Amino acid sequence: MAHIIVVGNEKGGSGKSTTSMHVATALVRMGHRVGGLDLDVRQRSFGRYLENRAHFAAREGLDLPMPVIGAMGEGSDPLTPALTDLEKTCDFILLDCPGSHTRLSQMAHTLADTLITPMNDSFVDFDLLARLSPEGKIQGPSIYAEMVWAARQMRAQAGAGPIDWLVLRNRLGTQAMHNKRKVGGALEALSKRIGFRVAPGFSERVIFRELFPRGLTLLDLKDIGTEQLSMSNIAARQELRDLITELNLPGVAVNF
């Protein structure tokens, strides 16, 4: 059985597709067979990212490591046949969910062995996980956390293993600001209550916006002739290295 990685939350603009692309291609570079499915049937940012990569590599004559792009099925359950097809050849399958509640997203969460939830480092995004009082007290889980809880219950009833849930704090500020500390403290308290791990994700960097049109990732820069990496690019590669390490995926040893 392939290990299924789901990248999701119910808010757009949190870096889901950037996270999906970098995790998927990093695993391919490390020698693993990876399939990818974009469940956002309208925006398709992850799918477009993969298509841009294929087109750029073909145009430039490059042999870039590439996840297998899965094809969604038809009918009331388009996900199951797509997964069945990918599982024949893949060690890992990454599902990129839309930034809204959909039936496909709900199904994907019940299949997750590893769940990655990127969030911007603010209380606006925190509200998807838990409701806070005006004094900053956690009042209870919010809509997205409740969906994950339901997915865990369904997996338990089916005899499947637990979901390893990792919440990524994307776009962390470079300064130890008061709000940053408050969000961090609230996340740590909530993680113990509803069962997730917290890790730093990707900082806000121009490089991520520049890579998308060519379908590139931080690990591709030397392949396209970038000999000297900037300090920002080096720091971003370290963030990716830390993320892959923190995921603790089966059989994965970080070697970049």
Side-chain angles (χ1 to χ4, degrees):
M1 297 290 290
H3 187 95
I4 296 181
I5 304 168
V6 173
V7 180
N9 69 15
E10 293 186 15
K11 184 178 183 300
S14 60
K16 289 190 299 294
S17 297
T18 296
T19 301
S20 296
M21 189 66 178
H22 279 78
V23 170
T25 54
L27 290 173
V28 175
R29 279 192 174 274
M30 291 186 285
H32 301 281
R33 300 172 300 173
V34 181
L37 279 171
D38 191 340
L39 305 189
D40 189 343
V41 294
R42 280 183 60 83
Q43 190 165 341
R44 294 190 65 252
S45 295
F46 181 46
R48 289 279 295 160
Y49 210 142
L50 290 169
E51 290 167 3
N52 291 348
R53 183 178 186 82
H55 293 157
F56 178 79
R59 187 176 72 245
E60 299 297 322
L62 297 173
D63 184 20
L64 295 176
M66 183 79 178
V68 177
I69 305 174
M72 295 289 285
E74 297 181 354
S76 60
D77 179 11
L79 183 56
T80 299
L83 289 175
T84 301
D85 188 52
L86 287 173
E87 280 190 327
K88 297 173 184 176
T89 57
C90 293
D91 305 312
F92 296 94
I93 301 174
L94 191 145
L95 308 179
D96 185 49
C97 294
S100 59
H101 182 81
T102 66
R103 183 170 176 272
L104 276 178
S105 180
Q106 191 173 10
M107 290 173 62
H109 281 70
T110 65
L111 299 170
D113 298 305
T114 297
L115 172 60
I116 306 172
T117 299
M119 59 169 281
N120 295 329
D121 202 54
S122 74
F123 282 112
V124 175
D125 279 27
F126 185 91
D127 189 63
L128 285 170
L129 299 175
R131 292 174 284 108
L132 290 179
S133 71
E135 298 76 29
K137 301 290 185 182
I138 297 173
Q139 296 180 317
S142 198
I143 51 173
Y144 182 71
E146 288 175 347
M147 187 182 77
V148 177
W149 175 255
R152 283 172 159 166
Q153 288 182 314
M154 291 182 66
R155 285 177 64 88
Q157 292 168 3
I163 300 174
D164 182 22
W165 186 10
L166 185 69
V167 172
L168 295 186
R169 299 177 67 188
N170 276 348
R171 301 189 173 119
L172 280 167
T174 55
Q175 305 296 323
M177 295 175 291
H178 180 62
N179 186 71
K180 176 181 173 181
R181 292 194 300 270
K182 288 182 68 176
V183 172
L187 278 173
E188 288 296 337
L190 184 62
S191 69
K192 297 176 175 63
R193 291 181 56 172
I194 64 176
F196 59 79
R197 299 185 289 126
V198 183
F202 296 121
S203 301
E204 180 66 45
R205 300 182 193 278
V206 175
I207 185 66
F208 290 118
R209 293 191 290 273
E210 294 176 342
L211 292 173
F212 175 81
R214 295 173 291 172
L216 299 176
T217 71
L218 295 166
L219 302 182
D220 301 318
L221 296 179
K222 290 188 177 180
D223 290 341
I224 62 171
T226 305
E227 296 296 334
Q228 190 69 33
L229 298 180
S230 68
M231 291 301 296
S232 177
N233 292 349
I234 292 171
R237 280 174 62 97
Q238 184 61 50
E239 290 173 352
L240 176 59
R241 188 179 298 115
D242 292 343
L243 169 56
I244 300 298
T245 301
E246 189 67 33
L247 286 174
N248 194 28
L249 297 170
V252 174
V254 180
N255 59 6
F256 60 86

